[in-house]
Amino acid sequence: MFKRIIIAVSVLLAFGAAAQGQALRESQISTYSVQSAILGEEVPYNVYLPKGYDASGTQQYPVIYLLHGLYGTHVDWATQGHMKEVVDELIASGECRPVVIVMPKAGDPDINNNWNGYFNMPGHSYEDFFFGEFVPAVESRWKVRSDKGHRAIMGLSMGGGGSTVYAQRHPEMFSSCYSMSGWLDNSEPDANAPKNKFYYTSKAVHDFSAVDFVMKADEAALARLRTVKWFFDCGDDDFILDLTLRMYQAMRLRGVPAELRVRDGWHSWEYWHTALRLSLPFASRNFE
Amino acid sequence: MFKRIIIAVSVLLAFGAAAQGQALRESQISTYSVQSAILGEEVPYNVYLPKGYDASGTQQYPVIYLLHGLYGTHVDWATQGHMKEVVDELIASGECRPVVIVMPKAGDPDINNNWNGYFNMPGHSYEDFFFGEFVPAVESRWKVRSDKGHRAIMGLSMGGGGSTVYAQRHPEMFSSCYSMSGWLDNSEPDANAPKNKFYYTSKAVHDFSAVDFVMKADEAALARLRTVKWFFDCGDDDFILDLTLRMYQAMRLRGVPAELRVRDGWHSWEYWHTALRLSLPFASRNFE
Amino acid sequence: MFKRIIIAVSVLLAFGAAAQGQALRESQISTYSVQSAILGEEVPYNVYLPKGYDASGTQQYPVIYLLHGLYGTHVDWATQGHMKEVVDELIASGECRPVVIVMPKAGDPDINNNWNGYFNMPGHSYEDFFFGEFVPAVESRWKVRSDKGHRAIMGLSMGGGGSTVYAQRHPEMFSSCYSMSGWLDNSEPDANAPKNKFYYTSKAVHDFSAVDFVMKADEAALARLRTVKWFFDCGDDDFILDLTLRMYQAMRLRGVPAELRVRDGWHSWEYWHTALRLSLPFASRNFE
Amino acid sequence: MFKRIIIAVSVLLAFGAAAQGQALRESQISTYSVQSAILGEEVPYNVYLPKGYDASGTQQYPVIYLLHGLYGTHVDWATQGHMKEVVDELIASGECRPVVIVMPKAGDPDINNNWNGYFNMPGHSYEDFFFGEFVPAVESRWKVRSDKGHRAIMGLSMGGGGSTVYAQRHPEMFSSCYSMSGWLDNSEPDANAPKNKFYYTSKAVHDFSAVDFVMKADEAALARLRTVKWFFDCGDDDFILDLTLRMYQAMRLRGVPAELRVRDGWHSWEYWHTALRLSLPFASRNFE
């Protein structure tokens, strides 16, 4: 039975290729890069293209920016988060619309000697790069819509914090934001600590505290926050659960609607892998 | 087809009856009562008996005490929570062991003029009744095991607080405790408030604060708390979510393992109905 | 705490009323009726209106037709299926768009002496009524969109079969169809059986077999079927599971995409209550 | 914050090591092998040991045999199924008891030139090896219980069929059996086909048809089958879904209780990865 199936599938694929021209017959993940003048380096990223994507066609897709965590790189969501398996399934069942998913590099396992983080740090203005160079490059390179109604952002841990702060500071850019196990705040690092790169990473999380942002927002800022759909998700055994709880309490206190889920689990790829089953339909139904 | 099915089922039931004697062919919920000397009144309760329960047989079951909320009575879990439908299904699939479930009355919709609450209040020592009269009456009346390893307690809102405090103060009695949307703490009521019965209900929730209990527990008390399996579950849109979050943070701070879930929803029967799908397997797998 | 919350909520509701004019502050279920010339009787139906529905406003909603089963009436989904509790929650979380849900009467517990069924039977042309009188009456009475892209149909057991056959025979009317525990086919009733009304119900299910329809469809009919999104859902312990499995196998054989789910449970309201958590998001995301 | 956590965890681990002696501080997966006289080769297998496992201790664990599919080997469940991540989480939450999980090699990606399959084939008596050499070797090497009440078997595709047939033919060995996307039957291979090793694999699936086994079972055999808890799980988009449906229909027809689930998905690692969330609690609650 298996052999006959394989033959049948091969024939179908051959016909499919003839019929569809350049359209992808299967989803694919590939690595590309953007040359950044701001950072003075080439920044790699992974991109997920859905089945049917046609580089020479007219169809444009919504786009999701999917951010990795501390110690991580642009390949993690594919190699450790197995994102392709979930996205393929959710698109096939209709729970997520066909989307392009972009995963930029903003870190490195050697956190002391290499940059990690999504914020502007001394000599490494990643946020400037992201909005000034990266998003424009993505939107000119791929068949994606370039409006708030068709952009979403999400990420894990450092990337959950990054997503939240990006959507706070650029609410006109994103329809929704989903934080997984988010590193949403940090205490002020010790001024006597060695000034290695991790010092600046943790200082930036303090300086760009997502919790403080919402607590200190004035009415106009709150109104802008309410134009984004927010979702916070963290495991009950996660060592940074408190950050998500404080964040949600701040959102509630300031009257900014948000979803909260605490599921079973901890700071792990299994948690983030399963989070995709919530985050992708959430982003999808909040696209225009 | 439907008619033939009905006939087939009837025949099966008739044979079933002959074969099984007194054993219940379907689960059932009935109302009974206990005459309380402590409270000076007759206290009604509902009891769920599983399919196969045999009043003259030798099989004994684990027992779950399932508590209602403020404004409520012993019938609510059946009439508004539709508990029978869920329990039947979970027992049939093996996700919950066959159990007896006991639902005592500890409230009334007229909260100002009638007693609500599980704690000892002036002139209404409900906790004394519960442990001194009710549990013994249940255990002599029904085929239930009478040891910690085969007792669980759970409840919603006021009953979530009641369950938690009962298991805190009597950890030798229960293998597990599951709080749904628990009323786990309360501010001190205004001393100038009218001294109606609701005043005493809310004062008791303050006086028997579940959060304070764990925060003030000494090492010996913490060791006792660790003999119980704890689960806290509350909706993200629930107006008393903060109590559950504070409770969990206290448990974590004091090193008492517990589960936490925040699911979508609010202070509603839909939330508690779906909570049964988590709480019953949880109780079941923590029976000996 | 509870009392203060109640006061706070009351104040909010009062402001809400002032601000929103006629818009509903809470969802509601009400009973209405349509006078049918075709059936020669008044046909009652229940209608669910979402929070914010404004009879004098300009907003129009998608509409879902939600069908009951044999022995049932238009009130069952509210009283036994507790549909309001689920719909409110799914709309609040965004998993279902705000919708109007219409539940017509097509049955009666006395199945031998009263009509049950969605098909044209001798002297009782319910399908003619449904499409010729009922849908037009609903669309003129309520603020609903009246195009395929904003209509969905779903139902349980006899109503699962009814939904499927309606969408098969009127694919230009519905964007999606969801069958729960569907009565999708029936053997030919014994010609010597008493010709009571149940005889005609079961004969109609035979004559309008949903399985036969797809098996016998020509290419043009298959193309029309493919314009509808299909979902079949049935419990593993359901006595009519085979019908759903045969239906899905027929759909697959003829190349009409469909979803299938077999979940734990049987022919029960608990099954259909939980089915709403799948069926409403499915209908919602398949609206235009 | 992260740095301090890392230090704290390291200190805890050091203390943990001192306190617990040889007990594993984290679960682990390792590769071992059994020298088979029957097969004339060394057969590798992976073994998952839970946190706390102590090779020199007295605690013994239930054991699950977890089988891979066609083209696969003993490492697949770890490298492609990410089984460790799920098992760790389910054990931590109590949804699965601590277990030892054994994953033997019974295949190879080169299916024409190398053996694949769990049955006795000419010159390759894998079933004899499994029960005569492998299980005894596992039970003497690891701290596992060696009775029906503490053994379960499960697997995917070819391993789903293997699990089912093993439990059918050795019901005295297993308390439960869970088939994922099972290759449960096969048509008779063409007698003129080349007699490569895949010919014998597919012929064995035909000869040891799990569907035929239950259809042809006499009353005594059916009684033995009823001593095992059965679960069949297959994706609605799986090309071999029909096999699971026919299997379940056979079980129902012959009166052998079983669970059936059809979830969203196809013949993929994502399906099997998520199946573990059902299969492990199922096996766990059916241990004695």
Side-chain angles (χ1 to χ4, degrees), chain B residues 203-231:
Chain B
K203 185 171 188 316
V205 176
H206 168 75
D207 293 345
F208 292 90
S209 162
V211 180
D212 287 358
F213 188 96
V214 69
M215 289 306 293
K216 295 175 179 167
D218 60 19
E219 280 308 315
L222 291 172
R224 284 192 297 272
L225 292 178
R226 292 188 195 107
T227 70
V228 179
K229 298 287 185 183
W230 302 92
F231 204 120

Side-chain angles (χ1 to χ4, degrees), chain D residues 8-217:
Chain D
V9 168
S10 306
V11 172
L12 281 169
L13 289 179
F15 272 97
Q20 296 183 22
Q22 304 297 320
L24 293 180
R25 291 182 307 210
E26 292 299 330
S27 69
Q28 67 178 40
I29 297 177
S30 313
T31 302
Y32 292 82
S33 66
V34 167
Q35 185 61 42
S36 169
I38 292 171
L39 298 178
E41 62 184 65
E42 195 174 348
V43 181
Y45 66 98
N46 266 10
V47 62
Y48 168 95
L49 301 177
K51 184 168 75 172
Y53 182 91
D54 184 349
S56 60
T58 57
Q59 188 179 352
Q60 288 190 305
Y61 294 87
V63 61
I64 295 175
Y65 293 89
L66 178 60
L67 308 187
H68 66 75
L70 188 73
Y71 308 103
T73 77
H74 57 294
V75 305
D76 292 1
W77 270 107
T79 57
Q80 297 187 263
H82 317 298
M83 58 83 75
K84 182 177 182 300
E85 301 176 14
V86 181
V87 184
D88 285 352
E89 189 176 302
L90 294 177
I91 290 177
S93 69
E95 292 174 69
C96 181
R97 291 164 56 174
V99 282
V100 169
I101 302 180
V102 178
M103 295 159 276
K105 179 178 192 300
D108 187 279
D110 180 354
I111 62 173
N112 291 322
N113 295 305
N114 289 303
W115 287 113
N116 277 269
Y118 296 94
F119 307 136
N120 284 348
M121 293 172 279
H124 192 74
S125 296
Y126 196 92
E127 184 178 352
D128 290 350
F129 155 72
F130 190 91
F131 290 95
E133 296 178 329
F134 185 63
V135 170
V138 164
E139 295 184 352
S140 71
R141 171 72 183 80
W142 304 104
K143 296 278 179 185
V144 295
R145 310 281 292 268
S146 53
D147 60 307
K148 173 182 173 75
H150 295 87
R151 273 193 220 104
I153 192 161
M154 57 183 66
L156 71 91
S157 196
M158 185 179 80
S163 298
T164 304
V165 172
Y166 277 10
Q168 287 178 329
R169 291 163 55 86
H170 306 267
E172 75 288 355
M173 293 284 289
F174 303 105
S175 50
S176 71
C177 171
Y178 190 109
S179 165
M180 307 167 185
S181 318
W183 192 13
L184 295 154
D185 194 4
N186 205 59
S187 52
E188 173 94 50
D190 184 345
N192 297 320
K195 299 298 180 295
N196 61 20
K197 284 183 174 153
F198 181 65
Y199 170 86
Y200 292 106
T201 299
S202 47
K203 184 168 190 318
V205 176
H206 168 75
D207 293 344
F208 293 89
S209 162
V211 180
D212 287 357
F213 188 97
V214 69
M215 289 306 293
K216 295 177 178 167

Side-chain angles (χ1 to χ4, degrees), chain A residues 67-82:
Chain A
L67 308 185
H68 66 75
L70 187 73
Y71 307 104
T73 78
H74 57 295
V75 305
D76 292 1
W77 269 108
T79 57
Q80 296 186 263
H82 318 298

Side-chain angles (χ1 to χ4, degrees), chain C residues 236-239 241-242 245 248-249 252 258-264, chain D residues 236-239 241-242 245 248-249 252 258-264:
Chain C
D236 67 337
D237 299 316
D238 197 310
F239 69 98
L241 171 63
D242 269 359
L245 301 186
Y248 185 74
Q249 288 165 317
R252 175 181 274 209
E259 298 287 326
L260 172 67
R261 297 293 183 282
V262 178
R263 299 179 294 118
D264 185 44
Chain D
D236 67 337
D237 299 316
D238 197 311
F239 68 100
L241 171 63
D242 269 359
L245 302 185
Y248 185 74
Q249 287 165 319
R252 176 181 274 208
E259 298 287 326
L260 173 68
R261 297 294 183 280
V262 178
R263 299 180 292 118
D264 185 43

